[in-house]
Amino acid sequence: MQADWEAALLRLLEDVYTFAATGPKTDTDWQSDMLAVMNREVNDPRGWNILDWDKKKIEERELNGPSFPFLPLSHGELAMRLFPVTPDTAARLLVTMTFEWGPVEPEKNTQEQLADARTVLNRYGDNISCYSNITDARISPSPDLTSGVHGWAPVTRYDGDFGFVVVSPEEVGVFWSFNPI
């Protein structure tokens, strides 16, 4: 399963400015676990690969904190910026990241990307909750993404960012895409 998961993650996000990492789910709330992943305080509990374009930007992290490019958010700030989404929406968000925020090009066959996205999410099992900062999720946990992502509640220092968190009984995965312009 590890090889399939890592290959699917790379096919989806290798050429996109992203952060994709997983940490352990502790007995505390999932927001604390999410912040630990964003602050790079924990390692992947299975030892699987992560995608972290900013991991080696030591100077930026010393200047802006360990979570760079993420903002140092409190639990309350996370609660105001993250909204429940369905696992299917999380899979579609991964595909949207692949197409640099969408819209997903109609001439492209997205079945392969959706299959890869489902492989990524399958790691976390069937009993998962997902949360995203896209503003359309305020209205519906399954928003229409055919025209891409147009609004978000920022969690980074950049002009644009969107992503999602997947929470299972054992793990918390953070998948984020950045627009640093």
Side-chain angles (χ1 to χ4, degrees):
M1 181 173 176
Q2 177 181 356
D4 292 339
W5 186 85
E6 290 175 349
L9 189 66
L10 284 176
R11 282 190 298 270
L12 287 167
L13 302 177
E14 183 176 39
D15 295 330
V16 182
Y17 184 17
T18 54
F19 177 88
T22 299
K25 174 73 178 82
T26 64
D27 290 333
T28 60
D29 58 280
W30 65 265
Q31 291 97 340
S32 294
D33 298 325
M34 176 189 177
L35 291 170
V37 172
M38 291 166 53
N39 286 324
R40 299 168 180 89
E41 295 170 353
V42 294
N43 294 319
D44 186 292
R46 301 183 197 194
W48 295 9
N49 286 335
I50 64 167
L51 296 176
D52 183 356
W53 286 44
D54 295 306
K55 186 173 186 159
K56 294 183 181 179
K57 291 185 178 176
I58 305 301
E59 221 173 274
E60 291 282 358
R61 290 177 53 216
E62 286 175 357
L63 182 64
N64 296 300
S67 65
F68 177 83
F70 296 102
L71 295 167
L73 300 170
S74 68
H75 288 85
E77 291 168 320
L78 280 177
M80 291 175 30
R81 297 172 193 217
L82 296 176
F83 314 99
V85 295
T86 64
D88 184 57
T89 297
R92 290 183 292 129
L93 285 169
L94 273 174
V95 173
T96 304
M97 287 178 194
T98 300
F99 287 92
E100 296 181 1
W101 300 35
V104 175
E105 299 171 22
E107 66 273 3
K108 296 263 185 179
N109 183 349
T110 60
Q111 294 310 308
E112 291 176 12
Q113 287 91 358
L114 280 170
D116 280 343
R118 288 185 184 104
T119 296
V120 169
L121 291 178
N122 283 342
R123 166 193 176 145
Y124 303 97
D126 294 330
N127 186 19
I128 62 173
S129 300
C130 300
Y131 305 88
S132 177
N133 71 324
I134 61 170
T135 53
D136 287 343
R138 289 178 182 165
I139 300 164
S140 169
S142 186
D144 181 5
L145 296 173
T146 55
S147 64
V149 170
H150 302 290
W152 51 89
V155 299
T156 72
R157 301 175 185 283
Y158 293 136
D159 288 337
D161 68 82
F162 84 89
F164 67 93
V165 181
V166 57
V167 180
S168 79
E170 295 85 26
E171 299 177 314
V172 174
V174 179
F175 298 86
W176 232 263
S177 177
F178 311 108
N179 182 3
I181 297 174

